[in-house]
Amino acid sequence: MSTPHEAQEPERDGAQVSTGTTDQGESAAIPELVIISGMSGAGRSTAAKCLEDLGWFVVDNIPPELIAPMVELGARSQGNVARIAVVVDVRGRRFFANLKESLATLDAQNVKRRIVFLESSDEALVRRFESVRRPHPLQGDGRIVDGIVAERDLLRELRGDADLVIDTSSLNVHELRAKMDAQFAGEEVPELRATVMSFGFKYGLPVDADMVIDCRFIPNPHWVPELRPFTGLNEEVSGYVFSQPGSKEFLDGYTELLRIVAEGYRREGKRYVTIAVGCTGGKHRSVAMSEKLARRLVSEGVETVIVHRDMGRE
């Protein structure tokens, strides 16, 4: 548990978040809240440490019923604890029953909260547990993979409610920290942030994608000998892609669709969206389309990050 020296033990006489006044008569501001959860071994601790480095008040493995009292404590801190991050996971047992009740309490009190969910593939999780020679917290007398399956089932609903899902299957610690920094660093929080990710279908769908675009209807530059060595970042490759029938119309149509979706996300308070753009190998068509789509989003006022997941992988 990481706590500032001036913080006091939270009162445990209820789960209501007060919006009253401080001892000096000033209005008490409710702290911003981030709930970090996800698969064991997917990087929850790294994500929490990143927020701690950014000045958040971070509490690890807190029982869900203590989240609301913790927020109330922050509201009484006269602005000293303006941003709270809590790590909630299956180590707390009776996980969902208490967490759902706590989230309902926070919503009723108009607490500004976000859920960050750390995801990873089964293969990556097994590899990580085996490398540190530790059992999965839910495997019992079974195998590591049995614990992973049980945990996925337990966390399925929370993952669906998450505001931000980060797939750490192919990320190292530094790359995960960079992703967290990109989302949480800075004083001003933009209305909506988008990640546009190119990928190759032959390497699998990105598990953290909110929307998936399939560019395989466009003729493949791979079969043009003079274009094959290059990527979609190359002007000639991009020109070839967008000279094909339907390419520009597809970009225009999807831009309009995203404009509608973005407005809906803003109304619902969703701040993050990952748009996965796929072709066969993730080298030509998806890269070119991602670049153009990202520029369109930026022109619409959406802060956008571009990730080319599989470029250079072949």
Side-chain angles (χ1 to χ4, degrees):
M1 179 182 296
S2 303
T3 57
H5 293 302
E6 62 268 24
Q8 301 176 5
E9 192 69 17
E11 296 183 12
R12 305 190 180 189
D13 55 355
Q16 299 299 311
V17 179
S18 172
T19 57
T21 59
T22 64
D23 294 339
Q24 286 73 30
E26 301 174 348
S27 178
I30 300 177
E32 183 179 358
L33 175 67
V34 167
I35 298 170
I36 299 173
S37 191
M39 298 298 294
S40 299
R44 294 184 308 244
S45 296
T46 297
K49 289 176 182 176
C50 182
L51 289 185
E52 186 174 31
D53 290 343
L54 292 173
W56 290 66
F57 180 99
V58 178
V59 185
D60 189 13
N61 197 24
I62 184 174
E65 59 267 25
L66 295 184
I67 297 176
M70 183 68 66
V71 173
E72 183 179 4
L73 175 65
R76 296 177 180 178
S77 70
Q78 302 177 39
N80 291 322
V81 182
R83 299 182 299 177
I84 297 174
V86 298
V87 181
V88 182
D89 55 62
V90 294
R91 291 174 294 173
R93 307 301 176 188
R94 291 192 305 158
F95 181 79
F96 261 113
N98 291 337
L99 181 58
K100 290 170 69 174
E101 182 179 342
S102 297
L103 293 179
T105 297
L106 294 168
D107 291 340
Q109 295 296 330
N110 297 317
V111 175
K112 180 182 176 183
R113 65 168 178 85
R114 286 173 281 171
I115 298 174
V116 177
F117 191 95
L118 280 300
E119 174 68 275
S120 194
S121 67
D122 289 0
E123 294 80 2
L125 294 175
V126 169
R127 188 166 58 248
R128 291 168 189 172
F129 275 105
E130 288 181 341
S131 68
V132 296
R133 300 177 183 273
R134 295 184 61 187
H136 187 281
L138 294 185
Q139 77 179 74
D141 296 329
R143 303 172 300 160
I144 292 175
V145 70
D146 296 326
I148 293 172
V149 170
E151 187 174 32
R152 283 201 192 284
D153 184 63
L154 187 62
L155 296 176
R156 183 173 292 110
E157 185 174 348
L158 181 64
R159 187 190 187 285
D161 291 337
D163 299 282
L164 174 63
V165 177
I166 300 178
D167 178 18
T168 68
S169 302
S170 58
L171 300 181
N172 60 36
V173 171
H174 305 294
E175 291 168 333
L176 174 55
R177 290 185 66 92
K179 278 184 172 283
M180 291 293 294
D181 284 341
Q183 300 295 345
F184 292 98
E187 295 299 322
E188 298 296 328
V189 179
E191 286 188 351
L192 182 65
R193 283 177 170 157
T195 297
V196 178
M197 177 190 299
S198 69
F199 74 97
F201 277 96
K202 70 179 182 180
Y203 299 116
L205 289 170
V207 298
D208 52 348
D210 295 294
M211 290 177 281
V212 177
I213 302 173
D214 188 350
C215 294
R216 290 175 295 182
F217 72 94
I218 302 171
N220 194 346
H222 174 82
W223 303 115
V224 180
E226 59 269 27
L227 298 180
R228 182 179 301 176
F230 302 105
T231 72
L233 298 177
N234 178 271
E235 289 185 8
E236 292 184 3
V237 173
S238 182
Y240 174 86
V241 169
F242 287 99
S243 69
Q244 302 304 312
S247 295
K248 291 181 180 178
E249 293 81 359
F250 182 80
L251 176 62
D252 292 340
Y254 214 89
T255 300
E256 181 60 31
L257 174 63
L258 289 178
R259 186 178 294 120
I260 298 171
V261 170
E263 288 303 315
Y265 279 168
R266 290 186 178 104
R267 288 193 299 270
E268 294 298 316
K270 183 176 175 65
R271 298 188 179 192
Y272 312 102
V273 59
T274 297
I275 304 159
V277 184
C279 63
T280 303
K283 178 180 179 179
H284 296 115
R285 295 165 290 180
S286 62
V287 172
M289 186 66 72
S290 294
E291 291 287 328
K292 293 280 190 182
L293 187 61
R295 292 190 193 118
R296 295 283 185 93
L297 289 173
V298 170
S299 70
E300 295 287 333
V302 178
E303 185 173 326
T304 306
V305 175
I306 304 176
V307 177
H308 299 304
R309 189 191 76 175
D310 298 324
M311 191 172 67
R313 188 169 178 177
E314 76 286 345

